[in-house]
Amino acid sequence: MNIISFSCPIMTKQKFGLTVKKEEDFSEWYVQVIIKGEMIDYYEIKGCYVMRPQGQFIWKCIQKWFTEKIEEAGVQECYFPMLIPKSMLEKEKSHIENFSPEVAWITKCGNEVLGDPVAIRPTSETIIYPSFSKWIRSHRDLPLKINQWCSVLRWELHGTLPFIRGKEFLWQEGHTAFLTKEESDEEVLAILDLYSRIYEELLAVPVIKGRKTESEKFGGADYTTSIEAFIPGSGRGVQAATSHFLGQNFSRMFDIKVDTDEGSENSSFVYQNSWGITTRSIGIAVMIHSDNLGLVLPPRVAMTQVVIIPCGITSSSSKDDAERLKMYIGKIQAQLKSSGIRVYVDDRNNVTVGFKFNHWEIRGVPLRLEVGFKDMEGAEACLVRRDTRAKRQISVEGIDQTVANEIDTMHNDMLARAISERDSRISYAKNFEDFISALDNKNIIMAPWCGIDECESTIKSRSTKLGPNGSVISTGAKTLCIPYDSKPCSGLECVSCGKQAIHYTLFGRSY
Ligand code: AMP
Ligand code: ZN
């Protein structure tokens, strides 16, 4: 028989806190932050995670915001099956080449070995486009714009990391078809803009918009655009979302075409886009904002935005006093709630106030209201920010507006800090020595580059750090994107091969 022992939470407080510092062991710190902050839990299969309510809430906020925006643009919601017949998956050559190492196949059901194994979607182009071929007949069926929210499965071979690189992860995938390339091009950028707004307006994370190089583009796309974020703690870049122009690559393979002149033999293949953002976005926000006390949640998307903690009630407080304080707090709670602020009162009487502070700090709740007898007498409360831990007395008069303003101020401050940190860590490199030293100082790098595939792989191998026994200590730098707002580099030489540079390109170690 198992003996379960319950220990007093105060006695075991140490265990609840983080045991490593962000600046000392970033990877271990990150995992502790999301586990102890109750964002995610482990699961039996490596690379698969349990999404807890705190994490799922943020995803819901992203879903809600994005759905509203794409609906305005005429995108409709659908749901397609998760299984792909082999023949479909293999239709577009570069697509399957790109994905095949990560595709999981169902080969056996019960005792029966399947003659035709089916794949579990790593992405749904090849599931959705046979339907496009049926649904699109004339130019009047265009544009066709659909989106689905689902999970996909990519059997990631390299290090998995909660949120950032999972085997199964949640995302939305948009799939659209247009008559002209111009309309298609325009949408690619409009979606990229919405993605960057998710990061900036909801998660307080700055991103850089750009185009992927040929070797980094999506398998089957003519070109891929992306937004890239920077993780100061590890000095790495991370692809934050992508929007692809598929051109006519899939429409030719899946026979998706329209008659251009009614009644004529002429027909043309449609132009297509696909675009996706995943739960990686949550991991990026956690990595950027959290600190050595635990999670720091972006206040606009936090499940609990304000926690109210009654203070000063002791065993010697009179019942009446305690009751009056409770009512005072109840009024504050109702006022905040009526303004749509997500508020929780921690009125547990079996733990200390200090324990409650730690409890909510490690869970990243953006604002804390400490309310004691003195505050009540002065018709005030003490407001404490999770990010700066700054404290100030505020009046109960208009407290909902004060708190709402603080949520916005906190959001803006977090974004501003992330921008200034990132900008101070983007190095301009003229030569390869600069490049390597910037990389080793945990920077990402803007460098003039020739645009040649082989040069990109050379840069990767030249910047890979090997240990004495030949093991890889740090992976090499790769191109993150060619930023849309990068300055011209005419007349400059490529940072690695010395040939003529064609654009300033963003490089970095990355996730
Ligand atoms: P893709 O369909 O390959 O363009 O992927 C879309 C987006 O998914 C990328 O921009 C990444 O931000 C994200 N992503 C890719 N792989 C993973 C993964 N294993 N786990 C979580 N997010 C991912
Ligand atoms: Zn070069």
Side-chain angles (χ1 to χ4, degrees):
M1 193 174 114
N2 283 333
I3 298 169
I4 301 166
S5 66
F6 293 96
S7 49
C8 166
I10 298 152
M11 303 287 284
T12 55
K13 200 176 89 186
Q14 275 313 95
K15 272 206 268 179
F16 292 116
L18 306 185
T19 60
V20 288
K21 291 207 156 63
K22 188 174 188 178
E23 54 281 12
E24 285 166 6
D25 184 349
F26 184 77
S27 314
E28 172 60 22
W29 166 86
Y30 171 66
V31 170
Q32 288 197 13
V33 165
I34 50 165
I35 298 282
K36 297 188 178 190
E38 296 184 346
M39 297 289 277
I40 258 182
D41 216 343
Y42 283 120
Y43 184 67
E44 290 299 305
I45 297 172
K46 195 168 178 286
C48 296
Y49 309 96
V50 176
M51 178 84 111
R52 300 188 66 172
Q54 283 243 87
Q56 189 67 21
F57 189 91
I58 298 182
W59 188 237
K60 280 271 170 203
C61 291
I62 293 174
Q63 274 187 310
K64 199 164 161 241
W65 189 94
F66 189 67
T67 300
E68 201 183 293
K69 297 288 181 287
I70 59 175
E71 275 178 7
E72 277 167 25
V75 180
Q76 294 174 322
E77 203 83 7
C78 280
Y79 187 78
F80 286 78
M82 70 186 303
L83 302 176
I84 321 177
K86 192 160 183 280
S87 57
M88 287 296 178
L89 185 61
E90 290 176 348
K91 259 195 166 162
E92 211 290 335
K93 210 169 136 279
S94 51
H95 185 65
I96 182 62
E97 263 173 27
N98 204 242
F99 278 103
S100 69
E102 295 172 5
V103 175
W105 293 92
I106 298 179
T107 54
K108 193 180 166 192
C109 287
N111 288 326
E112 194 190 332
V113 173
L114 297 187
D116 284 319
V118 290
I120 299 172
R121 64 181 166 217
T123 176
S124 304
E125 279 75 6
T126 58
I127 298 173
I128 293 175
Y129 300 162
S131 297
F132 273 30
S133 165
K134 283 193 273 180
W135 297 343
I136 298 170
R137 294 269 170 243
S138 104
H139 68 273
R140 276 184 297 272
D141 300 322
L142 293 175
L144 179 62
K145 304 182 185 185
I146 63 112
N147 179 65
Q148 74 174 2
W149 294 91
C150 62
S151 76
V152 287
L153 192 74
R154 297 182 184 178
W155 213 264
E156 295 285 354
L157 304 170
H158 308 295
T160 50
L161 193 59
F163 289 124
I164 301 291
R165 186 171 298 280
K167 282 198 176 95
E168 183 189 3
F169 53 91
L170 298 176
W171 78 348
Q172 62 63 225
E173 48 181 320
H175 295 270
T176 53
F178 298 90
L179 187 62
T180 65
K181 179 174 185 305
E182 289 68 35
E183 289 169 279
S184 219
D185 282 333
E186 199 181 306
E187 191 210 50
V188 167
L189 292 183
I191 295 292
L192 199 67
D193 196 52
L194 290 180
Y195 287 153
S196 76
R197 289 181 58 194
I198 289 179
Y199 276 90
E200 285 170 16
E201 295 177 25
L202 301 185
L203 302 174
V205 168
V207 291
I208 295 168
K209 290 183 198 164
R211 189 166 161 144
K212 286 281 178 187
T213 60
E214 281 302 295
S215 68
E216 291 290 329
K217 74 181 184 187
F218 181 76
D222 269 5
Y223 67 83
T224 285
T225 68
S226 75
I227 47 173
E228 304 287 328
F230 174 65
I231 308 296
S234 61
R236 295 204 211 180
V238 57
Q239 183 174 295
T242 41
S243 179
H244 315 293
F245 172 67
L246 306 175
Q248 295 174 314
N249 301 329
F250 286 89
S251 62
R252 286 179 193 281
M253 292 303 131
F254 287 88
D255 200 32
I256 312 170
K257 59 183 186 227
V258 294
D259 297 331
T260 41
D261 292 317
E262 212 64 37
S264 92
E265 295 289 282
N266 290 336
S267 58
S268 63
F269 292 105
V270 301
Y271 292 90
Q272 288 180 271
N273 296 337
S274 71
W275 24 272
I277 189 169
T278 78
T279 36
R280 173 180 286 185
S281 50
I282 302 171
I284 294 175
V286 170
M287 283 182 161
I288 291 178
H289 300 307
S290 302
D291 63 19
N292 288 330
L293 294 175
L295 265 182
V296 178
L297 293 174
R300 290 184 183 158
V301 294
M303 184 169 73
T304 304
Q305 294 173 302
V306 186
V307 62
I308 304 182
I309 300 186
C311 299
I313 303 176
T314 62
S315 48
S316 57
S317 312
S318 79
K319 238 183 155 181
D320 275 3
D321 281 350
E323 201 50 40
R324 276 198 305 128
L325 188 63
K326 211 173 145 188
M327 280 176 52
Y328 180 69
I329 286 173
K331 273 215 299 249
I332 296 177
Q333 181 188 19
Q335 203 173 336
L336 296 180
K337 226 174 148 184
S338 70
S339 289
I341 295 164
R342 296 183 289 276
V343 54
Y344 178 79
V345 178
D346 186 351
D347 55 6
R348 285 178 290 175
N349 56 16
N350 60 336
V351 291
T352 65
V353 164
F355 177 85
K356 292 180 188 178
F357 290 177
N358 293 333
H359 177 96
W360 296 107
E361 269 171 358
I362 205 166
R363 285 161 184 75
V365 171
L367 296 170
R368 174 169 90 219
L369 272 176
E370 302 172 9
V371 187
F373 294 108
K374 245 177 131 178
D375 302 299
M376 179 170 68
E377 263 121 52
E380 290 183 339
C382 176
L383 181 65
V384 188
R385 258 168 71 161
R386 172 64 186 86
D387 61 333
T388 57
R389 306 186 87 205
K391 276 184 174 202
R392 67 187 174 101
Q393 284 298 119
I394 59 169
S395 167
V396 283
E397 176 87 36
I399 196 166
D400 48 343
Q401 197 49 53
T402 310
V403 168
N405 291 345
E406 196 69 44
I407 286 172
D408 273 339
T409 308
M410 183 171 168
H411 173 94
N412 294 335
D413 290 352
M414 284 167 68
L415 178 61
R417 271 199 304 275
I419 292 174
S420 99
E421 175 82 59
R422 181 203 59 190
D423 289 352
S424 73
R425 303 271 290 278
I426 299 179
S427 269
Y428 278 80
K430 281 197 234 52
N431 53 50
F432 212 71
E433 271 152 45
D434 290 354
F435 187 101
I436 293 292
S437 87
L439 202 61
D440 289 344
N441 285 324
K442 291 192 176 174
N443 289 323
I444 48 174
I445 299 138
M446 282 287 270
W449 181 57
C450 61
I452 299 167
D453 278 359
E454 297 82 69
C455 179
E456 196 172 349
S457 359
T458 308
I459 291 175
K460 193 165 184 187
S461 51
R462 281 178 85 186
S463 56
T464 302
K465 256 195 159 165
L466 298 176
N469 56 359
S471 61
V472 175
I473 297 178
S474 296
T475 54
K478 59 179 198 176
T479 56
L480 303 175
C481 71
I482 302 158
Y484 283 123
D485 63 358
S486 65
K487 53 185 188 183
C489 65
S490 52
L492 296 179
E493 288 177 356
C494 169
V495 72
S496 179
C497 71
K499 295 201 177 97
Q500 195 186 331
I502 54 170
H503 25 229
Y504 263 101
T505 302
L506 189 64
F507 289 88
R509 296 204 162 100
S510 69
Y511 283 97

